[in-house]
Amino acid sequence: MTQSPESPSAAGRPARRWWARPWIVPLAVLLGAFLLWKVPPWLGGERAALPLNPGVPLHYPLMILHIGFGTIAFATVCLQLWPWLRARHPAVHRVSGRLYVFAGMLPTALLSVGLILAGPLTVFGKIGTAVWATLSIVTTVVGFVRARQRRFADHRRWMLYSFALVTNVITSRALAYLVLYLPGIGPDIIAFTHFQVEGPWLSWMVNLALVHWWLRRTARRRRAARAGSGRPLPGHAQVG
Ligand code: HEM
């Protein structure tokens, strides 16, 4: 029997709407599809996907390492966000979290600095991408440090910002294609922005704004649920 969105679940809590249920499967499918689309062309040697800078012999190895560490970041971010795994196997969460930080996000973001310098982006595009790389490093490091300090609410918040930045790889392509094919304005906008606004700037701002909105919304709901259940709110002294 299916439950309506508002009907109570077996535990007496309101049933969650379908889009609020674990979204780990669609996320994994999306990230996997991106890897299947983007990685194989790079495995064919230096004649691969994008034009490489002939003046920088390290451009190809840098790209391969960047994509390799990026793949680890994609695989481990799915594990990190999986509520079931976090609850049942905290040791796996800790190990895959370290992999995400030290064998995924940090090396891929650091290597992107070489790609920014060697690649064909305009100065405006290079600055936007460098800001994205810097934010990726900062949010991931702060998220890791907060976990070590056992400040888990802060850890969760910073790691969700890190998630917004790692998945920017997808949003930037989606936004660029969306703008390109937007009826009427596509080619005009592209001629004006040269693809250096949508990917290098706009997309990570959109991702961060969405995660920030979601964090505020869930925090409000949690506060309301606590107030409804009579449990004290954090930071509020219990009277009586
Ligand atoms: C953490 C932040 C990241 C930054 C700042 C970043 C930055 C960059 C830069 C500057 C390039 C070269 C673009 C060019 O020369 O036009 C690039 C290429 C690429 N990056 Fe990243 N990247 C990041 C994360 C990732 C992740 C997590 C993946 C996942 C696998 C990834 C996959 C790729 C791929 C496949 C390319 C080659 C471009 C293509 O074939 O379309 N990147 N990235």
Side-chain angles (χ1 to χ4, degrees), residues 143-162:
F144 178 72
V145 171
R146 291 295 173 266
R148 301 293 300 156
Q149 295 170 330
R150 309 191 67 76
R151 289 167 57 180
F152 293 114
D154 288 340
H155 163 66
R156 173 177 170 271
R157 191 159 50 87
W158 283 96
M159 281 308 187
L160 283 171
Y161 288 131
S162 172

Side-chain angles (χ1 to χ4, degrees), residues 55-239:
V56 182
L58 283 179
H59 199 173
Y60 181 70
L62 273 180
M63 191 65 102
I64 291 295
L65 285 172
H66 171 76
I67 294 172
F69 289 123
T71 303
I72 296 176
F74 268 13
T76 47
V77 86
C78 291
L79 296 179
Q80 291 312 94
L81 292 172
W82 190 4
W84 179 86
L85 191 73
R86 275 203 314 268
R88 297 285 178 90
H89 301 284
V92 177
H93 178 74
R94 277 197 295 277
V95 172
S96 94
R98 287 192 177 117
L99 284 173
Y100 173 74
V101 174
F102 297 110
M105 202 46 170
L106 292 187
T108 206
L110 287 169
L111 287 162
S112 75
V113 177
L115 300 177
I116 292 166
L117 296 174
L121 293 166
T122 63
V123 173
F124 188 63
K126 282 180 196 292
I127 296 173
T129 312
V131 176
W132 166 31
T134 309
L135 291 174
S136 301
I137 293 167
V138 170
T139 51
T140 308
V141 169
V142 176
F144 178 72
V145 171
R146 291 295 173 266
R148 301 293 300 156
Q149 295 170 330
R150 309 191 67 76
R151 289 167 57 180
F152 293 114
D154 288 340
H155 163 66
R156 173 177 170 271
R157 191 159 50 87
W158 283 96
M159 281 308 187
L160 283 171
Y161 288 131
S162 172
F163 163 71
L165 292 157
V166 77
T167 49
N168 180 47
V169 174
I170 308 258
T171 317
S172 64
R173 265 82 175 180
L175 253 177
Y177 280 108
L178 188 76
V179 169
L180 180 61
Y181 294 111
L182 228 48
I185 64 163
D188 295 341
I189 292 265
I190 297 303
F192 179 64
T193 62
H194 301 285
F195 269 136
Q196 306 291 297
V197 176
E198 303 83 356
W201 286 99
L202 201 59
S203 53
W204 57 259
M205 292 179 184
V206 168
N207 269 18
L208 281 180
L210 282 173
V211 165
H212 186 68
W213 167 82
W214 188 83
L215 281 169
R216 284 179 66 100
R217 182 186 144 94
T218 49
R220 254 202 319 272
R221 284 186 163 191
R222 275 183 196 170
R223 273 198 302 274
R226 275 203 207 101
S229 71
R231 279 158 53 201
L233 296 173
H236 287 61
Q238 211 174 356
V239 181

